[in-house]
Structures are given as structure tokens and as C-alpha cells.
Amino acid sequence: MNLSSSKNRSNLIHALTSTDFDLIVIGGGITGAGIALDAASRGLKVALLEKKDFASGTSSKSTKLIHGGLRYLKQLEIGLVRETGTERATVHRLAPHLVVPEKMLLPLVEKGTYGKLGTSIGLAVYDFLAEVNSADRRKMLSREDTLAKEPLLKKDGVLGGGFYAEYRTDDARLTIEVIKKAIEFGANCINYAEVYDFSYDESGKISGVIANDLIDQQVLNINAAFVVNATGPWVDQLRKQDKSLKGKRLFLSKGVHIVVPYERLPLKQSVYFDVPDGRMVFAIPRHRTTYIGTTDTPYEQSIDQVLTQQEDVNYLLQAANSMFPDVHLSNEDVESSWAGLRPLIYEEGKSASQMSRKDEIFESESGLISIAGGKLTGYRKMAERIVNLVVKKHPKKEGFKPCYTNKIPLAGGHFKTSKDVADYKVEIEKKVVSRQLAEYYAIYLVSNYGKQTDEILEKMNDFEGNSEEKLIRAELWFTLQHEMVHTPLDFFNRRTGRVYFNLPSILRLSSVVLQDIQAYFNWSDEKAKSEEEHLQIELQEVSEFDFAMR
Ligand code: FAD
């Protein structure tokens, strides 16, 4: 039975409500996904429940870097840099199409965050901690070389630069691929199922969760020996429900990114640069766009509706215009945006930027295990720590394998090297062009789906319409079949990234997608209309900021 198909929800619900699980994971972001895969691959019976779509929380709103976090070195978080640094290479190996090497330029400027000597030593330590191979190690650049590498940089005040290796990813696709792999190992993962309470045994220990199935409006009682709360910014809500919100708490910091067409900020590589208020911001070229971020501001409004506001946009436009003064970016250039929340652990007297990004585990008297903080990059090691803890407490502990997720390639990721990915892309380019599609679609398809692209291109033959329509219908079919899409937004946002990186294509193609999805689920016209409205609202929220200030 294909439990990652959108159509198999009733079988999935039957399995969820009739199994005694070893572990329930609450939250389908990268943290929960990683835990589900780790646990299922070791032989535990696992359920994962996500209240909206997989990756709809912070895990689709990050800077999308798999990185050691250079700035954490400055804060002397050596352990964090070492772990995330070495993880970069591992996650790249598991999905070389999805976690791609990205050179980063760090311009050194007068009165900037980083000085020449400090950067040279810092980047060398960074490379050492991350075990970067010799060809990719940092290079220190003269002023002339820095300006030659990035002609759009301001000419005043640039003293030189550091040029070093990072990796770029798509956070939501990474989460989805990890979920799919967990399902392959037998995990029962469901989206649109919100945990609202826990069940306890006579001794007061957690014995399961009670959830609302938000698609078929029914209550689900699910039993398990252990429950992990991996709900990112929502972690304290569930700790409160468990009456165990004591001691350390979350501090939420909002981070916004804006997206402009590539031709408006045509950088030759990613740039990590100083902004006038003393912070640092990324500008990252990505196919047909360049994105700029992030802000870092304390957040106390609704966790369920985090919006980009005009002041966030102004801050990022100003930041970009101060480092790239010839481009004169303005509001009209902003095609899309996203706003996410960092679930940080509160530290007295520190600003949002200064608080640690390290993960922490809290265990309540009832046995609820909560994990908070951390980074996308470290998801595999965070999962290993949580599952080690669960296995240690489990009566059958000897029966489970040790962690081996470092040897489990993700779907579509069966490439040995980045060169294999590049060769495959050339092959796909030919196929794309022969189907009268823009060449851009080759890189889009390969970085989103890896080798799964073959199945999508093959499926195009079954559909009517122009080439772009056939492609999107094939993509929709693939994600309905294999990736539990339930709404047009799931498809346009978390499965394809089009809401952020190709919004104009949605305006051209949404009606075709809406028709197909309506037919697939046999929706009434009323239901289809309401889904279309949801899509329109989201498109407005990411691109019209006065609207977001209401
Ligand atoms: P989330 O992704 O938020 O997942 C939690 C999930 O739990 C949500 O999907 C939510 O819907 C679900 N949930 C909540 N309540 C319930 C419930 N009651 N029942 C069921 N489900 C529930 N890290 C990096 O490594 N690299 C970066 O470049 C980077 N950049 C960042 C930039 C920004 C602006 C931000 C905000 C973060 C960044 N991070 C980065 C950090 C990284 O994105 C997060 O650490 C990570 O995504 C957190 O994942 P998570 O699964 O813990 O939380």
C-alpha cells in the first residue's frame, strides 16, 4: 500500500488508530521528519502527525542554507559549528541534487563585523571544523579580486574579501524527502492532523495523543510508548497542554526574506554582507531569482500567521541597496517573500541575534520529550540524540539498530558526486528543450526532484495542454501520488517552491492545477472555490505588504 499517496488517507488513519506505536512524533517540520526517519530505520514503530502541511512551519521559511553558521564561530559556539559543519558534507552526500555546493563571498568593509586577520583565521577554523576538502578551502581576496568577483559591490570601503564554501538547499523539499523516506521504512506520517491533547495511563505517564483529522473532521486516538514534541515554535503550547511548561522557555524571533527577479540583482555568487545597523544579511542567487534575508526581530503575535510587513521589506531593500548601490531595488522589484519564526531558547539579557541556535531537549514528569532550538542543517544529529534517548528508555532497547541515517540516500538522490548531478542536468536540459519548455526548467526539476524528474517528464505524455501545462499537471500528479498533497497551496508552496521562486508561473497555471486537483479529490465547486481563495490570499500575503500591515 502506498501510504505517501494523497488518496490513501483512510488506510493511513486506520493504521494510526489501530497500532500500538513505539513512538509518536508531533510536528512535520525537518526536526520531526528527521526523528521519524531515524526511529523507523532503526526498527521502531513510528507515527508522525502534522497539523497543517509538512514543512509549513519554520522548515519552509529558512535562509535555505546547509551551513556551519560562520557567525556562531564569532559567538564561540565551537561545538555547534563543528557539528553543523560536518553535517553539511553528510547531507550533501545523501541528496546531492538538493543540497548543492554554493560559494559564498564575504566582503570585508571598513568598520564591518569581520576584520581581515580575524576572517582569515575564522574561515580557516570553519573549514577545519567542517572538514572541508583542500580544493574548497577558503581563499582570502584582495580588494581588487573581491570587486572582480562581484562587480555589483559598492566600491567605497571594501577592503578585501573571504571566499568560502557553503551549501544551498530547499528546506521544504528536504523535509518532504525525509518524510517520504521515513514512510518507506514503515513510519505512518500524516498531515492535516492536529494534536490537541495527550492521553495518560493510571500513573500519569503519557500513553498517546488525541488529534483532530482536519480533512475528514474526526477525532483520532493514537497510542504509543513515547511521545516526542517536535513542533518548533509551537513547542511551548504543547508543553503547556501537558502542564509541564516550567524552567526554560522559547523565545520567538521573526526572520523575513524577500525575492527579486535575478536580473534585478544579478549576483555572480552568494554574498554575506554587513548592513548599516551592524547585522549581516545574505543575498543568494537562485535560478530565475535572487533572495535577500534575513531580519531578526522579537515576535509576540500569532504563531499561526506570520506575515512579511512593509518595514521588513524596507529594511532588506535598504540593506541590499547599501551594499549594491547601483541596483536601486524598490518595492516594485519584490516578487515574493517569506516570514518565519526561529524557535530560540530564551537567554536573559541577550538580543535575538545573540541567543544560541543550539537545540535542547526537555523531559516532563509525564514523559513528554520536547526538542527545541537547533538548525535545519543539524536535523540528522538532533534526531539521533532524540531516538537514542527513546531507545535507552524502551524495554526492547536491544532490539533496535544503532543510527545509520548517514547511509540512507534520499529519494531522487542516487548520485555519487556533484558532477553526476551536473551530467544528469545536461541530459534533462535536452529533454526539456525537446518538449518546448524553457531551459530553466531543467535546473528547477533536477534540484527539486533529482532522478524522480524522469518519472515526471514521462508522465507529461498523458496530459493535454501546452508544454508548461503538461509539465505542471505531471508534477501535480507526481506529488499527489507520492507526496501527500491536499491543497493547491501544498503543491505551489512546499512541493514546488513556486510561491517564492516562480510566482508568475502560478498566475499562468493555477487554473489547470485547480481543475486537476478538484477532479482528483472529487471536490464540489464550493470547496474548489474556497481552495482557490486560500491560494489567492497566500499570494497576496507574500507579495503585497500594505495588505499584510492590516
Ligand atoms: P517547524 O518547521 O516549525 O516544524 C514544526 C511543525 O509542527 C510545524 O509544521 C507545525 O505546523 C507543527 N505543529 C505545531 N503544533 C502542532 C500540533 N499541535 N499538532 C501537530 N503538528 C503541530 N537553519 C539552517 O540550518 N540554515 C539556515 O539557513 C537557516 N535559516 C533560517 C532563517 C530563518 C529566518 C529562520 C526562522 C530559521 C532558520 N534556520 C536555518 C533554522 C531552521 O529553519 C529551523 O531550525 C528548523 O526549520 C526548525 O524545524 P522544526 O521542525 O523544529 O520546526
Side-chain angles (χ1 to χ4, degrees), residues 26-32 49-53 56-59 61-65 67 193-195 230-234 238 255 257 294 340-342 373-377:
I26 314 173
I30 191 64
T31 309
L49 288 92
E50 161 56 49
K51 73 171 177 172
K52 288 190 178 167
D53 187 23
S56 58
T58 309
S59 299
K61 318 277 174 48
S62 76
T63 308
K64 307 181 194 293
L65 290 174
H67 66 157
E194 178 172 18
V195 172
T231 54
W234 292 265
L238 285 171
H257 293 78
T294 164
L341 294 178
R342 299 175 186 84
K375 295 194 59 72
L376 181 74
T377 309

mmCIF file of all heavy atoms in Angstrom, residues 26-32 49-53 56-59 61-65 67 193-195 230-234 238 255 257 294 340-342 373-377, ligand 1:
data_model
loop_
_atom_site.group_PDB
_atom_site.id
_atom_site.type_symbol
_atom_site.label_atom_id
_atom_site.label_comp_id
_atom_site.label_asym_id
_atom_site.label_seq_id
_atom_site.Cartn_x
_atom_site.Cartn_y
_atom_site.Cartn_z
ATOM 1 N N ILE A 26 5.222 14.527 17.144
ATOM 2 C CA ILE A 26 4.286 15.614 16.811
ATOM 3 C C ILE A 26 5.081 16.697 16.102
ATOM 4 O O ILE A 26 6.071 17.208 16.632
ATOM 5 C CB ILE A 26 3.628 16.212 18.073
ATOM 6 C CG1 ILE A 26 3.144 15.094 19.009
ATOM 7 C CG2 ILE A 26 2.475 17.128 17.691
ATOM 8 C CD1 ILE A 26 2.643 15.629 20.358
ATOM 9 N N GLY A 27 4.655 17.035 14.874
ATOM 10 C CA GLY A 27 5.341 18.083 14.102
ATOM 11 C C GLY A 27 6.017 17.505 12.871
ATOM 12 O O GLY A 27 6.853 16.613 12.969
ATOM 13 N N GLY A 28 5.608 18.018 11.720
ATOM 14 C CA GLY A 28 6.167 17.538 10.450
ATOM 15 C C GLY A 28 7.055 18.563 9.795
ATOM 16 O O GLY A 28 7.015 18.765 8.582
ATOM 17 N N GLY A 29 7.880 19.260 10.611
ATOM 18 C CA GLY A 29 8.973 20.068 10.053
ATOM 19 C C GLY A 29 10.194 19.170 9.935
ATOM 20 O O GLY A 29 10.092 17.946 10.097
ATOM 21 N N ILE A 30 11.342 19.778 9.673
ATOM 22 C CA ILE A 30 12.540 18.959 9.463
ATOM 23 C C ILE A 30 12.918 18.182 10.734
ATOM 24 O O ILE A 30 13.389 17.045 10.652
ATOM 25 C CB ILE A 30 13.726 19.809 8.946
ATOM 26 C CG1 ILE A 30 14.881 18.931 8.468
ATOM 27 C CG2 ILE A 30 14.211 20.804 9.991
ATOM 28 C CD1 ILE A 30 14.607 18.063 7.307
ATOM 29 N N THR A 31 12.667 18.763 11.925
ATOM 30 C CA THR A 31 13.049 18.067 13.155
ATOM 31 C C THR A 31 12.224 16.794 13.308
ATOM 32 O O THR A 31 12.774 15.698 13.519
ATOM 33 C CB THR A 31 12.853 18.986 14.389
ATOM 34 O OG1 THR A 31 13.501 20.229 14.123
ATOM 35 C CG2 THR A 31 13.421 18.372 15.634
ATOM 36 N N GLY A 32 10.892 16.920 13.175
ATOM 37 C CA GLY A 32 10.034 15.749 13.310
ATOM 38 C C GLY A 32 10.312 14.727 12.214
ATOM 39 O O GLY A 32 10.364 13.519 12.464
ATOM 40 N N LEU A 49 2.533 13.147 13.258
ATOM 41 C CA LEU A 49 1.335 13.955 12.976
ATOM 42 C C LEU A 49 1.728 15.407 12.773
ATOM 43 O O LEU A 49 2.447 15.981 13.590
ATOM 44 C CB LEU A 49 0.348 13.877 14.149
ATOM 45 C CG LEU A 49 -0.363 12.532 14.295
ATOM 46 C CD1 LEU A 49 0.413 11.619 15.224
ATOM 47 C CD2 LEU A 49 -1.758 12.735 14.838
ATOM 48 N N GLU A 50 1.220 15.976 11.688
ATOM 49 C CA GLU A 50 1.497 17.378 11.363
ATOM 50 C C GLU A 50 0.153 18.101 11.240
ATOM 51 O O GLU A 50 -0.743 17.648 10.546
ATOM 52 C CB GLU A 50 2.289 17.457 10.050
ATOM 53 C CG GLU A 50 2.274 18.804 9.356
ATOM 54 C CD GLU A 50 2.756 19.974 10.223
ATOM 55 O OE1 GLU A 50 3.816 19.863 10.846
ATOM 56 O OE2 GLU A 50 2.033 21.005 10.276
ATOM 57 N N LYS A 51 0.021 19.266 11.899
ATOM 58 C CA LYS A 51 -1.304 19.903 11.934
ATOM 59 C C LYS A 51 -1.673 20.603 10.631
ATOM 60 O O LYS A 51 -2.846 20.743 10.324
ATOM 61 C CB LYS A 51 -1.429 20.859 13.105
ATOM 62 C CG LYS A 51 -0.680 22.164 13.013
ATOM 63 C CD LYS A 51 -1.121 23.070 14.169
ATOM 64 C CE LYS A 51 -0.361 24.361 14.167
ATOM 65 N NZ LYS A 51 -0.887 25.302 15.130
ATOM 66 N N LYS A 52 -0.693 21.093 9.889
ATOM 67 C CA LYS A 52 -1.017 21.685 8.581
ATOM 68 C C LYS A 52 -0.350 20.812 7.524
ATOM 69 O O LYS A 52 -0.482 19.613 7.536
ATOM 70 C CB LYS A 52 -0.538 23.118 8.525
ATOM 71 C CG LYS A 52 -1.372 24.052 9.378
ATOM 72 C CD LYS A 52 -0.971 25.469 9.067
ATOM 73 C CE LYS A 52 -1.789 26.472 9.830
ATOM 74 N NZ LYS A 52 -1.165 27.799 9.737
ATOM 75 N N ASP A 53 0.404 21.450 6.631
ATOM 76 C CA ASP A 53 1.142 20.633 5.665
ATOM 77 C C ASP A 53 2.541 20.381 6.218
ATOM 78 O O ASP A 53 3.059 21.184 7.001
ATOM 79 C CB ASP A 53 1.242 21.386 4.333
ATOM 80 C CG ASP A 53 1.855 20.540 3.222
ATOM 81 O OD1 ASP A 53 1.804 19.284 3.324
ATOM 82 O OD2 ASP A 53 2.399 21.123 2.262
ATOM 83 N N SER A 56 5.245 23.269 6.686
ATOM 84 C CA SER A 56 4.573 24.566 6.558
ATOM 85 C C SER A 56 4.992 25.551 7.653
ATOM 86 O O SER A 56 4.679 26.733 7.568
ATOM 87 C CB SER A 56 3.051 24.383 6.591
ATOM 88 O OG SER A 56 2.689 23.740 7.797
ATOM 89 N N GLY A 57 5.699 25.087 8.689
ATOM 90 C CA GLY A 57 6.196 25.986 9.741
ATOM 91 C C GLY A 57 7.532 26.590 9.334
ATOM 92 O O GLY A 57 7.735 26.971 8.169
ATOM 93 N N THR A 58 8.460 26.635 10.277
ATOM 94 C CA THR A 58 9.763 27.252 10.007
ATOM 95 C C THR A 58 10.505 26.535 8.883
ATOM 96 O O THR A 58 11.317 27.156 8.185
ATOM 97 C CB THR A 58 10.623 27.220 11.292
ATOM 98 O OG1 THR A 58 9.844 27.773 12.357
ATOM 99 C CG2 THR A 58 11.885 28.021 11.147
ATOM 100 N N SER A 59 10.218 25.256 8.698
ATOM 101 C CA SER A 59 11.017 24.480 7.742
ATOM 102 C C SER A 59 10.756 24.786 6.272
ATOM 103 O O SER A 59 11.281 24.090 5.393
ATOM 104 C CB SER A 59 10.853 22.984 8.017
ATOM 105 O OG SER A 59 11.303 22.716 9.319
ATOM 106 N N LYS A 61 10.755 28.292 5.725
ATOM 107 C CA LYS A 61 10.952 29.747 5.839
ATOM 108 C C LYS A 61 12.388 30.107 6.223
ATOM 109 O O LYS A 61 12.626 31.187 6.733
ATOM 110 C CB LYS A 61 10.000 30.315 6.907
ATOM 111 C CG LYS A 61 8.587 29.759 6.901
ATOM 112 C CD LYS A 61 7.707 30.459 5.893
ATOM 113 C CE LYS A 61 6.333 29.852 5.740
ATOM 114 N NZ LYS A 61 5.604 29.576 6.952
ATOM 115 N N SER A 62 13.321 29.192 6.059
ATOM 116 C CA SER A 62 14.696 29.466 6.483
ATOM 117 C C SER A 62 15.465 30.170 5.365
ATOM 118 O O SER A 62 14.915 30.443 4.294
ATOM 119 C CB SER A 62 15.396 28.154 6.866
ATOM 120 O OG SER A 62 15.757 27.449 5.706
ATOM 121 N N THR A 63 16.750 30.429 5.601
ATOM 122 C CA THR A 63 17.585 31.007 4.541
ATOM 123 C C THR A 63 17.960 29.927 3.514
ATOM 124 O O THR A 63 18.574 30.200 2.494
ATOM 125 C CB THR A 63 18.842 31.664 5.162
ATOM 126 O OG1 THR A 63 18.407 32.561 6.186
ATOM 127 C CG2 THR A 63 19.656 32.455 4.163
ATOM 128 N N LYS A 64 17.608 28.697 3.803
ATOM 129 C CA LYS A 64 17.783 27.566 2.883
ATOM 130 C C LYS A 64 19.262 27.269 2.652
ATOM 131 O O LYS A 64 19.668 26.924 1.539
ATOM 132 C CB LYS A 64 17.011 27.785 1.570
ATOM 133 C CG LYS A 64 15.533 28.126 1.857
ATOM 134 C CD LYS A 64 14.703 28.337 0.631
ATOM 135 C CE LYS A 64 13.368 28.987 0.945
ATOM 136 N NZ LYS A 64 12.413 28.222 1.718
ATOM 137 N N LEU A 65 20.039 27.450 3.719
ATOM 138 C CA LEU A 65 21.455 27.098 3.643
ATOM 139 C C LEU A 65 21.712 25.900 4.541
ATOM 140 O O LEU A 65 21.168 25.824 5.655
ATOM 141 C CB LEU A 65 22.331 28.251 4.119
ATOM 142 C CG LEU A 65 22.383 29.477 3.217
ATOM 143 C CD1 LEU A 65 23.171 30.599 3.874
ATOM 144 C CD2 LEU A 65 23.012 29.123 1.852
ATOM 145 N N HIS A 67 24.520 25.002 6.431
ATOM 146 C CA HIS A 67 25.770 25.703 6.737
ATOM 147 C C HIS A 67 26.188 25.534 8.189
ATOM 148 O O HIS A 67 25.384 25.213 9.047
ATOM 149 C CB HIS A 67 25.677 27.191 6.377
ATOM 150 C CG HIS A 67 24.691 27.976 7.193
ATOM 151 N ND1 HIS A 67 24.795 29.332 7.350
ATOM 152 C CD2 HIS A 67 23.602 27.609 7.894
ATOM 153 C CE1 HIS A 67 23.799 29.760 8.103
ATOM 154 N NE2 HIS A 67 23.066 28.743 8.448
ATOM 155 N N ALA A 193 -3.407 16.809 10.644
ATOM 156 C CA ALA A 193 -3.892 16.115 11.840
ATOM 157 C C ALA A 193 -3.260 16.812 13.044
ATOM 158 O O ALA A 193 -2.058 16.695 13.266
ATOM 159 C CB ALA A 193 -3.509 14.645 11.798
ATOM 160 N N GLU A 194 -4.087 17.551 13.778
ATOM 161 C CA GLU A 194 -3.562 18.418 14.848
ATOM 162 C C GLU A 194 -3.732 17.767 16.217
ATOM 163 O O GLU A 194 -4.851 17.452 16.632
ATOM 164 C CB GLU A 194 -4.319 19.760 14.828
ATOM 165 C CG GLU A 194 -3.869 20.674 15.937
ATOM 166 C CD GLU A 194 -4.464 22.076 15.832
ATOM 167 O OE1 GLU A 194 -5.468 22.241 15.117
ATOM 168 O OE2 GLU A 194 -3.901 22.984 16.455
ATOM 169 N N VAL A 195 -2.621 17.593 16.898
ATOM 170 C CA VAL A 195 -2.670 17.049 18.259
ATOM 171 C C VAL A 195 -3.176 18.157 19.179
ATOM 172 O O VAL A 195 -2.629 19.249 19.202
ATOM 173 C CB VAL A 195 -1.263 16.592 18.699
ATOM 174 C CG1 VAL A 195 -1.265 16.213 20.176
ATOM 175 C CG2 VAL A 195 -0.786 15.435 17.828
ATOM 176 N N ALA A 230 7.977 17.803 18.629
ATOM 177 C CA ALA A 230 8.973 18.449 17.753
ATOM 178 C C ALA A 230 8.275 19.533 16.962
ATOM 179 O O ALA A 230 8.320 19.558 15.732
ATOM 180 C CB ALA A 230 9.596 17.408 16.820
ATOM 181 N N THR A 231 7.582 20.429 17.669
ATOM 182 C CA THR A 231 6.709 21.381 16.985
ATOM 183 C C THR A 231 7.332 22.773 16.825
ATOM 184 O O THR A 231 6.606 23.760 16.630
ATOM 185 C CB THR A 231 5.339 21.491 17.713
ATOM 186 O OG1 THR A 231 5.588 21.799 19.092
ATOM 187 C CG2 THR A 231 4.561 20.200 17.627
ATOM 188 N N GLY A 232 8.640 22.861 16.903
ATOM 189 C CA GLY A 232 9.317 24.132 16.623
ATOM 190 C C GLY A 232 8.733 25.272 17.456
ATOM 191 O O GLY A 232 8.669 25.191 18.685
ATOM 192 N N PRO A 233 8.256 26.345 16.792
ATOM 193 C CA PRO A 233 7.732 27.497 17.533
ATOM 194 C C PRO A 233 6.538 27.159 18.428
ATOM 195 O O PRO A 233 6.185 27.932 19.300
ATOM 196 C CB PRO A 233 7.297 28.456 16.420
ATOM 197 C CG PRO A 233 8.050 28.026 15.221
ATOM 198 C CD PRO A 233 8.279 26.562 15.338
ATOM 199 N N TRP A 234 5.880 26.030 18.186
ATOM 200 C CA TRP A 234 4.689 25.654 18.961
ATOM 201 C C TRP A 234 5.046 24.768 20.174
ATOM 202 O O TRP A 234 4.164 24.321 20.889
ATOM 203 C CB TRP A 234 3.693 24.894 18.074
ATOM 204 C CG TRP A 234 3.048 25.715 17.004
ATOM 205 C CD1 TRP A 234 1.831 26.345 17.075
ATOM 206 C CD2 TRP A 234 3.556 26.000 15.695
ATOM 207 N NE1 TRP A 234 1.566 26.990 15.896
ATOM 208 C CE2 TRP A 234 2.601 26.801 15.027
ATOM 209 C CE3 TRP A 234 4.724 25.658 15.005
ATOM 210 C CZ2 TRP A 234 2.778 27.261 13.730
ATOM 211 C CZ3 TRP A 234 4.902 26.119 13.717
ATOM 212 C CH2 TRP A 234 3.952 26.913 13.093
ATOM 213 N N LEU A 238 2.392 22.894 23.471
ATOM 214 C CA LEU A 238 2.112 21.507 23.855
ATOM 215 C C LEU A 238 2.666 21.199 25.248
ATOM 216 O O LEU A 238 2.098 20.395 25.981
ATOM 217 C CB LEU A 238 2.653 20.529 22.803
ATOM 218 C CG LEU A 238 1.795 20.482 21.535
ATOM 219 C CD1 LEU A 238 2.460 19.696 20.429
ATOM 220 C CD2 LEU A 238 0.422 19.889 21.813
ATOM 221 N N GLY A 255 12.058 36.121 11.152
ATOM 222 C CA GLY A 255 13.051 36.310 10.098
ATOM 223 C C GLY A 255 12.368 36.377 8.746
ATOM 224 O O GLY A 255 11.631 35.470 8.362
ATOM 225 N N HIS A 257 12.568 37.063 4.457
ATOM 226 C CA HIS A 257 13.361 37.103 3.222
ATOM 227 C C HIS A 257 12.505 37.708 2.124
ATOM 228 O O HIS A 257 11.294 37.472 2.088
ATOM 229 C CB HIS A 257 13.781 35.699 2.775
ATOM 230 C CG HIS A 257 14.756 35.051 3.709
ATOM 231 N ND1 HIS A 257 14.375 34.481 4.889
ATOM 232 C CD2 HIS A 257 16.091 34.887 3.614
ATOM 233 C CE1 HIS A 257 15.449 34.004 5.504
ATOM 234 N NE2 HIS A 257 16.508 34.233 4.744
ATOM 235 N N THR A 294 18.358 37.881 6.300
ATOM 236 C CA THR A 294 17.054 37.913 6.916
ATOM 237 C C THR A 294 16.993 39.008 7.975
ATOM 238 O O THR A 294 18.033 39.517 8.371
ATOM 239 C CB THR A 294 16.737 36.554 7.565
ATOM 240 O OG1 THR A 294 15.670 36.608 8.488
ATOM 241 C CG2 THR A 294 17.919 35.977 8.278
ATOM 242 N N GLY A 340 9.377 33.715 8.739
ATOM 243 C CA GLY A 340 9.371 32.531 9.614
ATOM 244 C C GLY A 340 9.778 32.889 11.025
ATOM 245 O O GLY A 340 10.233 34.002 11.295
ATOM 246 N N LEU A 341 9.595 31.917 11.921
ATOM 247 C CA LEU A 341 9.942 32.144 13.324
ATOM 248 C C LEU A 341 11.064 31.210 13.763
ATOM 249 O O LEU A 341 10.974 29.994 13.561
ATOM 250 C CB LEU A 341 8.721 31.875 14.210
ATOM 251 C CG LEU A 341 7.540 32.830 14.032
ATOM 252 C CD1 LEU A 341 6.396 32.415 14.943
ATOM 253 C CD2 LEU A 341 7.948 34.276 14.300
ATOM 254 N N ARG A 342 12.108 31.785 14.361
ATOM 255 C CA ARG A 342 13.167 30.962 14.953
ATOM 256 C C ARG A 342 12.722 30.579 16.360
ATOM 257 O O ARG A 342 12.473 31.465 17.183
ATOM 258 C CB ARG A 342 14.472 31.742 15.086
ATOM 259 C CG ARG A 342 15.039 32.234 13.787
ATOM 260 C CD ARG A 342 16.274 33.103 14.059
ATOM 261 N NE ARG A 342 16.736 33.692 12.821
ATOM 262 C CZ ARG A 342 16.241 34.809 12.284
ATOM 263 N NH1 ARG A 342 15.273 35.454 12.877
ATOM 264 N NH2 ARG A 342 16.724 35.271 11.154
ATOM 265 N N GLY A 373 14.803 24.596 19.470
ATOM 266 C CA GLY A 373 16.048 25.223 19.016
ATOM 267 C C GLY A 373 16.623 24.435 17.850
ATOM 268 O O GLY A 373 15.911 23.706 17.166
ATOM 269 N N GLY A 374 17.908 24.604 17.616
ATOM 270 C CA GLY A 374 18.573 23.826 16.562
ATOM 271 C C GLY A 374 18.457 24.460 15.202
ATOM 272 O O GLY A 374 17.919 25.558 15.038
ATOM 273 N N LYS A 375 18.978 23.745 14.213
ATOM 274 C CA LYS A 375 19.032 24.257 12.846
ATOM 275 C C LYS A 375 18.624 23.175 11.867
ATOM 276 O O LYS A 375 18.753 22.002 12.152
ATOM 277 C CB LYS A 375 20.465 24.718 12.520
ATOM 278 C CG LYS A 375 20.892 25.899 13.357
ATOM 279 C CD LYS A 375 22.128 26.568 12.850
ATOM 280 C CE LYS A 375 22.063 27.095 11.463
ATOM 281 N NZ LYS A 375 21.246 28.279 11.280
ATOM 282 N N LEU A 376 18.160 23.635 10.715
ATOM 283 C CA LEU A 376 17.869 22.712 9.618
ATOM 284 C C LEU A 376 19.073 21.790 9.384
ATOM 285 O O LEU A 376 18.949 20.562 9.298
ATOM 286 C CB LEU A 376 17.632 23.583 8.379
ATOM 287 C CG LEU A 376 17.292 22.974 7.068
ATOM 288 C CD1 LEU A 376 15.854 22.501 7.100
ATOM 289 C CD2 LEU A 376 17.453 24.004 5.951
ATOM 290 N N THR A 377 20.244 22.410 9.313
ATOM 291 C CA THR A 377 21.479 21.694 8.999
ATOM 292 C C THR A 377 21.744 20.524 9.942
ATOM 293 O O THR A 377 22.263 19.497 9.525
ATOM 294 C CB THR A 377 22.661 22.686 9.071
ATOM 295 O OG1 THR A 377 22.330 23.818 8.272
ATOM 296 C CG2 THR A 377 23.947 22.071 8.586
HETATM 297 P P1 FAD B 1 8.966 23.666 12.189
HETATM 298 O O1 FAD B 1 9.472 23.578 10.827
HETATM 299 O O2 FAD B 1 8.276 24.909 12.567
HETATM 300 O O3 FAD B 1 8.006 22.432 12.371
HETATM 301 C C1 FAD B 1 7.112 22.298 13.454
HETATM 302 C C2 FAD B 1 5.818 21.748 12.902
HETATM 303 O O4 FAD B 1 4.959 21.364 13.982
HETATM 304 C C3 FAD B 1 5.041 22.768 12.078
HETATM 305 O O5 FAD B 1 4.941 22.301 10.751
HETATM 306 C C4 FAD B 1 3.694 22.863 12.769
HETATM 307 O O6 FAD B 1 2.613 23.018 11.895
HETATM 308 C C5 FAD B 1 3.629 21.543 13.537
HETATM 309 N N1 FAD B 1 2.757 21.591 14.705
HETATM 310 C C6 FAD B 1 2.658 22.585 15.613
HETATM 311 N N2 FAD B 1 1.744 22.273 16.545
HETATM 312 C C7 FAD B 1 1.245 21.058 16.214
HETATM 313 C C8 FAD B 1 0.248 20.218 16.781
HETATM 314 N N3 FAD B 1 -0.421 20.580 17.885
HETATM 315 N N4 FAD B 1 -0.035 19.041 16.175
HETATM 316 C C9 FAD B 1 0.638 18.673 15.047
HETATM 317 N N5 FAD B 1 1.594 19.447 14.470
HETATM 318 C C10 FAD B 1 1.885 20.617 15.049
HETATM 319 N N6 FAD B 1 18.715 26.648 9.712
HETATM 320 C C11 FAD B 1 19.718 26.263 8.889
HETATM 321 O O7 FAD B 1 20.328 25.217 9.098
HETATM 322 N N7 FAD B 1 20.092 27.002 7.811
HETATM 323 C C12 FAD B 1 19.519 28.189 7.531
HETATM 324 O O8 FAD B 1 19.857 28.823 6.527
HETATM 325 C C13 FAD B 1 18.527 28.675 8.416
HETATM 326 N N8 FAD B 1 17.958 29.869 8.214
HETATM 327 C C14 FAD B 1 16.921 30.276 8.992
HETATM 328 C C15 FAD B 1 16.325 31.505 8.723
HETATM 329 C C16 FAD B 1 15.185 31.888 9.412
HETATM 330 C C17 FAD B 1 14.541 33.213 9.111
HETATM 331 C C18 FAD B 1 14.637 31.034 10.393
HETATM 332 C C19 FAD B 1 13.364 31.426 11.076
HETATM 333 C C20 FAD B 1 15.255 29.832 10.707
HETATM 334 C C21 FAD B 1 16.414 29.442 10.012
HETATM 335 N N9 FAD B 1 17.065 28.241 10.280
HETATM 336 C C22 FAD B 1 18.101 27.824 9.493
HETATM 337 C C23 FAD B 1 16.599 27.353 11.341
HETATM 338 C C24 FAD B 1 15.695 26.247 10.797
HETATM 339 O O9 FAD B 1 14.846 26.733 9.796
HETATM 340 C C25 FAD B 1 14.861 25.664 11.940
HETATM 341 O O10 FAD B 1 15.735 25.257 12.953
HETATM 342 C C26 FAD B 1 14.042 24.455 11.514
HETATM 343 O O11 FAD B 1 13.356 24.653 10.315
HETATM 344 C C27 FAD B 1 13.062 24.116 12.629
HETATM 345 O O12 FAD B 1 12.358 22.980 12.234
HETATM 346 P P2 FAD B 1 11.286 22.336 13.197
HETATM 347 O O13 FAD B 1 10.852 21.074 12.567
HETATM 348 O O14 FAD B 1 11.851 22.232 14.575
HETATM 349 O O15 FAD B 1 10.115 23.401 13.286
#
